[in-house]
Amino acid sequence: MNTSIEDFVNQPYKHGFTTAVEADVFAKGINEDVVRLISKKKQEPEWLLDFRLKAFRHWKTLEEPTWSNVTYPKIDFQDIAYFSAPKPPKKKSMDEVDPELIRTFEKLGVPVSERAALAGVAVDVVFDSVSVTTTFKEKLAKVGVIFCSFSEAVKDHPELVKKYLGSVVPYSDNFYTALNSAVFSDGSFCYIPKGVTCPMDLSTYFRINTQESGQFERTLIIAEEGSKVSYLEGCTAPQFDTNQLHAAVVELIAMDNADIKYSTVQNWYAGDKEGKGGIYNFVTKRGLCKGYKSKISWTQVETGSAITWKYPSCMLVGDSSVGEFYSVALTNHKQQADTGSKMLHLGKNTKSKIISKGISAGFSRNSYRGLVKIGRNATGSRNFSQCDSMLIGKENSASTFPYIQVDNETGVVEHEASTSKIGEDQLFYFASRGIDTEEAVSMIINGFVSDVFVHLPMEFAVEAANLLGLKLEGTVG
Amino acid sequence: MSARGILSLIEIKGLNAKIDDKAILNDFELRVAPGEIHAIMGPNGSGKSTLAKVIAGHPAYPVSSGIINFQGVDLLSKSPEERARAGIFMGFQYPVEIPGVTNSSFLRLALNTARSSKGEEELDPIEFEDYLQDKLKMLDIDPDFLARSVNEGFSGGEKKRNEILQMAVLNPRLSILDETDSGLDIDALRLVAGGIKKLSNKDNGIILITHYQRLLNYIKPDFVHVMYKGSIIKTGGVDLALELEDRGYDWIVSD
């Protein structure tokens, strides 16, 4: 017990390497020519360029939002490169992919190629801005599932992309969605046809590799009537002492009786102990439960980024649709997280659930921000929210900002919140039973997050548990 | 102090501990041999709870001088977890709540940590379940206890019984039970005292820290000590406890 709890929240970042691949990087700065150049590089159709330009023109009229509970120096948007691709931009098969890249993914523990086969996971990997390879495409094609990079989807399935792009998150939604819509470089696309249960979990691994570049990817998932899919997303970035911007947009659409489960383990580089470097993660994720009895479930484990600004949401339009949000957000050192969910009940008998677990260590700041709205016509709808915070140490803070708006008198909204602390007295209690501090902290944390972890797919739950352990355990063995 | 046995379980000599320059333990001396039960009584603020915490190794109670010899080992050089694994058990006056950690996983981790430190094989959940059932039966504890988070939402009596359950599971050589009887109604007191009695055997030692003689109606200690201003000022048998009940402490303290 000679070691304080603070010693345990010290763990070097494991993914802080860079990969020596030649990259095609644009000069820094943004203007209409850059937007056109991105579109041209990607040989995009006219309608997509129009979409980008509209978004860009709108973005220019916007101010950076300042309402979240985070502070950081003003971002110079002219000091960011808006496109970076490993050169040459696209390979046809795994064999042709730069071995240096493959090694990177191996270091990251990404199951590509044979590893993918063993793991039974189809992986789309977005490296900086360009999707490198998509495994298992053929097997998925047999049941009609389309899973490819966003660029490929634009080429091969333009009608789907055109129909749904921006339909859940319009470019005008906020400052960062406008920016993303103007300059997004790639991302993932997924289409599950009517009645199909996707035979395997689909997975995307995002990585930022270049120091001066921003990453702006889009994910679009469409689940047709009666279909079902589980989608996993992982993120890492190398260690730089400057900040990189990540502004992604994720759109999900679920038709009648469709079920989308979206799981994220976010481990972007968080900056060093003093708060130098790290990713600014400003992400807009939203799901549209369009159909009757459709269901969208978000599960996220947020451990990285210098700043996280993220509110995966559900628009419950279809009658009897269901939205869920399960979140663990861990902040340490000088990390700041402002994250939560929005549940908008518009259809009748819609249900939603929010379970949020925030863990703050070091000098970090961790906020839950959520909105539950029961619309005028959403008769018989209900929400349950539970927001728990845990503090480790004395110099950090946890805040909860729940917004509740009920416009239908039959609506039922329940909100529970708690704050707890891993105290010296608890650790002494463990010690007096022979259990050392490290095991005690891990046991308390595992107990704290278990309500969320049960919703992660098995292999992801293991990874997430390891990650939390890594972030919290220290140098003392 | 112990007349019986040459080999003592624990021997405390010249123990001094201070908090904010205030002496809490003052050349404290005590010797406990295997099979003995010692009761330590005394007015509030005499240092009884501090003694328990110092033996268990609480970091907020640093020792300035003295020796604690536990089965030939210098206890003061050990961390609290090492002391626990070596066979020291402290029953808390106010057991801490640990939300989200179930009693059964807590108990199993504690037991397995102790076992592996002794080079014994760890028990898997099924073996542990069997091991635990015996203890539950012996202490007449509802198995529902196990699925609940450690002490969370427990009544005062349940918390104290949970301490005794932990004691039963860990089977320590020396238990220091800090006011295990306080805040209990008569039924809970009978259950807790009965549990302690069952756990006492010829190989282990028990130190009962208590304010009240009533606990000693159920458990007959071999020695009753009166502690005052950080040291033991009088030692006797069960009769001493009865006399204290009758006359209070003033007559000893003012001697």
Side-chain angles (χ1 to χ4, degrees):
Chain A
M1 194 74 168
N2 300 319
T3 49
S4 71
I5 315 168
E6 281 79 3
D7 293 340
F8 288 93
V9 287
N10 245 335
Q11 182 74 29
Y13 187 66
K14 206 171 64 159
H15 302 298
F17 53 87
T18 50
T19 306
V21 283
E22 214 187 325
D24 185 1
V25 186
F26 279 19
K28 286 179 187 175
I30 181 166
N31 53 42
E32 253 190 56
D33 291 342
V34 170
V35 175
R36 284 177 194 279
L37 196 57
I38 292 170
S39 189
K40 197 177 163 196
K41 271 263 176 201
K42 304 184 74 69
Q43 300 164 327
E44 286 174 356
E46 195 63 28
W47 60 265
L48 193 50
L49 176 61
D50 280 349
F51 176 82
R52 288 178 183 278
L53 289 173
K54 268 190 219 155
F56 178 68
R57 287 167 196 154
H58 183 69
W59 179 73
K60 283 199 297 185
T61 68
L62 300 175
E63 295 280 335
E64 231 180 304
T66 54
W67 46 263
S68 56
N69 188 24
V70 296
T71 48
Y72 52 93
K74 205 161 170 50
I75 299 171
D76 181 357
F77 289 92
Q78 296 303 340
D79 196 36
I80 294 169
Y82 286 87
F83 189 81
S84 164
K87 220 176 184 178
K90 191 73 194 180
K91 302 284 185 181
K92 285 204 176 66
S93 79
M94 281 304 284
D95 309 337
E96 290 174 57
V97 172
D98 190 328
E100 198 47 42
L101 268 189
I102 302 287
R103 269 194 291 279
T104 298
F105 292 124
E106 276 166 12
K107 272 192 236 171
L108 291 170
V110 181
V112 253
S113 186
E114 268 71 42
R115 308 170 58 150
L118 285 172
V121 175
V123 184
D124 185 30
V125 199
V126 179
F127 196 82
D128 280 343
S129 304
V130 170
S131 173
V132 182
T133 182
T134 306
T135 52
F136 274 100
K137 205 179 282 180
E138 283 166 28
K139 187 173 174 189
L140 292 169
K142 268 185 203 153
V143 290
V145 171
I146 303 167
F147 180 46
C148 62
S149 74
F150 206 89
S151 311
E152 280 175 89
V154 169
K155 285 198 182 68
D156 301 340
H157 311 281
E159 68 298 341
L160 287 172
V161 178
K162 198 174 173 179
K163 185 172 173 189
Y164 292 109
L165 177 71
S167 69
V168 184
V169 181
Y171 65 78
S172 57
D173 192 80
N174 66 61
F175 184 83
Y176 297 105
T177 57
L179 180 62
N180 173 288
S181 301
V183 301
F184 74 91
S185 31
D186 213 327
S188 280
F189 177 84
C190 174
Y191 177 85
I192 318 292
K194 190 172 166 179
V196 170
T197 295
C198 190
M200 63 187 76
D201 289 351
L202 303 181
S203 168
T204 301
Y205 227 96
F206 293 107
R207 179 164 173 84
I208 297 176
N209 197 50
T210 325
Q211 181 161 11
E212 308 293 333
S213 70
Q215 177 147 328
F216 307 93
E217 80 276 352
R218 293 191 77 101
T219 303
L220 179 56
I221 299 175
I222 302 140
E224 291 284 10
E225 189 184 328
S227 68
K228 196 173 174 177
V229 64
S230 167
Y231 189 90
L232 326 176
E233 176 196 80
C235 330
T236 61
Q239 212 163 325
F240 292 122
D241 56 9
T242 52
N243 300 102
Q244 287 87 45
L245 177 63
H246 175 247
V249 172
V250 175
E251 299 178 275
L252 313 181
I253 298 145
M255 303 303 184
D256 286 357
N257 292 300
D259 185 333
I260 303 176
K261 185 177 168 59
Y262 195 105
S263 312
T264 305
V265 172
Q266 187 261 107
N267 184 24
W268 296 119
Y269 178 52
D272 68 8
K273 268 184 169 176
E274 273 69 49
K276 200 164 197 266
I279 304 289
Y280 290 169
N281 193 31
F282 301 141
V283 174
T284 303
K285 292 182 165 182
R286 194 173 302 157
L288 173 63
C289 282
K290 194 172 183 181
Y292 171 73
K293 271 197 168 173
S294 55
K295 180 178 173 188
I296 290 178
S297 179
W298 299 99
T299 306
Q300 61 171 21
V301 178
E302 302 282 315
T303 67
S305 298
I307 297 176
T308 300
W309 182 96
K310 180 179 170 187
Y311 315 90
S313 305
C314 295
M315 293 164 68
L316 304 168
V317 172
D319 288 348
S320 302
S321 58
V322 176
E324 293 173 341
F325 174 73
Y326 302 102
S327 170
V328 169
L330 169 80
T331 53
N332 191 7
H333 303 313
K334 298 208 167 161
Q335 280 179 274
Q336 305 174 61
D338 192 306
T339 183
S341 182
K342 284 191 281 188
M343 293 292 174
L344 305 175
H345 294 254
L346 301 169
K348 292 182 178 53
N349 301 314
T350 48
K351 286 189 182 65
S352 68
K353 184 151 88 176
I354 293 173
I355 307 283
S356 163
K357 306 274 179 175
I359 303 164
S360 333
F363 294 83
S364 65
R365 212 191 287 176
N366 201 328
S367 302
Y368 167 82
R369 187 184 303 276
L371 168 69
V372 175
K373 185 182 168 171
I374 309 267
R376 219 171 349 145
N377 301 320
T379 305
S381 295
R382 58 194 307 158
N383 159 270
F384 173 76
S385 301
Q386 186 185 332
C387 304
D388 298 326
S389 309
M390 177 166 281
L391 304 172
I392 304 176
K394 297 186 185 80
E395 309 292 340
N396 45 63
S397 71
S399 316
T400 304
F401 304 99
Y403 302 87
I404 295 169
Q405 187 186 335
V406 181
D407 296 333
N408 181 305
E409 59 186 13
T410 63
V412 179
V413 175
E414 293 170 79
H415 182 92
E416 288 178 8
S418 76
T419 304
S420 51
K421 214 174 160 70
I422 299 188
E424 295 290 344
D425 53 341
Q426 282 180 326
L427 294 181
F428 179 66
Y429 195 72
F430 275 95
S432 74
R433 303 301 180 247
I435 300 166
D436 64 32
T437 307
E438 194 161 330
E439 274 198 274
V441 169
S442 134
M443 203 171 195
I444 294 172
I445 294 291
N446 279 326
F448 183 67
V449 302
S450 61
D451 293 352
V452 170
F453 275 31
V454 293
H455 296 283
L456 283 174
M458 185 63 106
E459 64 274 24
F460 239 33
V462 173
E463 186 188 329
N466 289 340
L467 192 57
L468 281 194
L470 247 137
K471 291 265 168 174
L472 284 168
E473 282 166 15
T475 43
V476 186
Chain B
M1 226 162 271
S2 163
R4 259 188 258 163
I6 302 152
L7 286 173
S8 59
L9 199 53
I10 192 166
E11 195 165 12
I12 303 173
K13 280 183 184 169
L15 193 64
N16 287 285
K18 281 180 189 166
I19 298 175
D20 304 329
D21 283 338
K22 190 173 175 267
I24 306 287
L25 293 181
N26 197 359
D27 284 330
F28 183 90
E29 313 255 330
L30 180 68
R31 198 177 147 214
V32 178
E36 290 179 353
I37 299 178
H38 291 239
I40 298 181
M41 303 180 76
N44 281 330
S46 55
K48 303 188 298 293
S49 289
T50 300
L51 173 69
K53 285 172 180 150
V54 164
I55 296 173
H58 195 294
Y61 298 81
V63 168
S64 46
S65 64
I67 296 168
I68 303 181
N69 186 315
F70 177 64
Q71 301 186 107
V73 174
D74 169 21
L75 206 60
L76 292 174
S77 67
K78 305 283 180 198
S79 68
E81 50 269 34
E82 287 168 333
R83 297 181 197 197
R85 290 171 206 159
I88 296 274
F89 179 87
M90 172 179 162
F92 285 65
Q93 184 180 359
Y94 304 108
V96 181
E97 300 194 1
I98 307 168
V101 176
T102 62
N103 234 344
S104 62
S105 53
F106 179 77
L107 285 168
R108 191 161 76 88
L109 181 61
L111 178 67
N112 280 337
T113 307
R115 288 180 69 97
S116 63
S117 78
K118 278 181 250 163
E120 295 169 16
E121 221 161 286
E122 297 191 2
L123 299 185
D124 66 35
I126 294 163
E127 292 167 331
F128 180 67
E129 189 67 31
D130 288 344
Y131 177 82
L132 207 51
Q133 284 311 324
D134 292 345
K135 310 290 175 193
L136 291 173
K137 242 176 251 161
M138 179 172 81
L139 300 174
D140 193 21
I141 287 176
D142 192 327
D144 283 356
F145 245 54
L146 302 174
R148 294 165 68 182
S149 292
V150 179
N151 295 325
E152 194 189 25
F154 280 35
S155 70
E158 285 176 328
K159 281 183 183 172
K160 297 297 172 71
R161 289 176 74 194
N162 206 20
E163 295 290 290
I164 303 306
L165 175 61
Q166 292 178 28
M167 179 177 160
V169 166
L170 293 172
N171 190 23
R173 295 301 309 281
L174 178 73
S175 302
I176 307 113
L177 305 177
D178 188 9
E179 299 202 22
T180 296
D181 55 332
S182 67
L184 299 185
D185 61 33
I186 205 75
D187 291 329
L189 179 68
R190 191 181 297 126
L191 285 166
V192 166
I196 296 169
K197 214 168 151 181
K198 283 178 193 163
L199 294 175
S200 169
N201 62 42
K202 65 176 176 33
D203 296 320
N204 65 21
I206 296 175
I207 299 173
L208 298 170
I209 291 172
T210 180
H211 265 299
Y212 305 106
Q213 184 272 335
R214 60 176 194 167
L215 175 66
L216 310 182
N217 289 337
Y218 300 94
I219 308 168
K220 294 278 173 269
D222 301 289
F223 300 92
V224 174
H225 308 282
V226 176
M227 191 167 172
Y228 183 66
K229 287 190 175 166
S231 50
I232 286 173
I233 56 166
K234 195 172 179 66
T235 295
V238 180
D239 296 348
L240 177 58
L242 289 169
E243 200 172 353
L244 290 170
E245 183 80 356
D246 220 29
R247 299 173 62 189
Y249 293 109
D250 286 353
W251 62 281
I252 306 177
V253 167
S254 57
D255 269 359

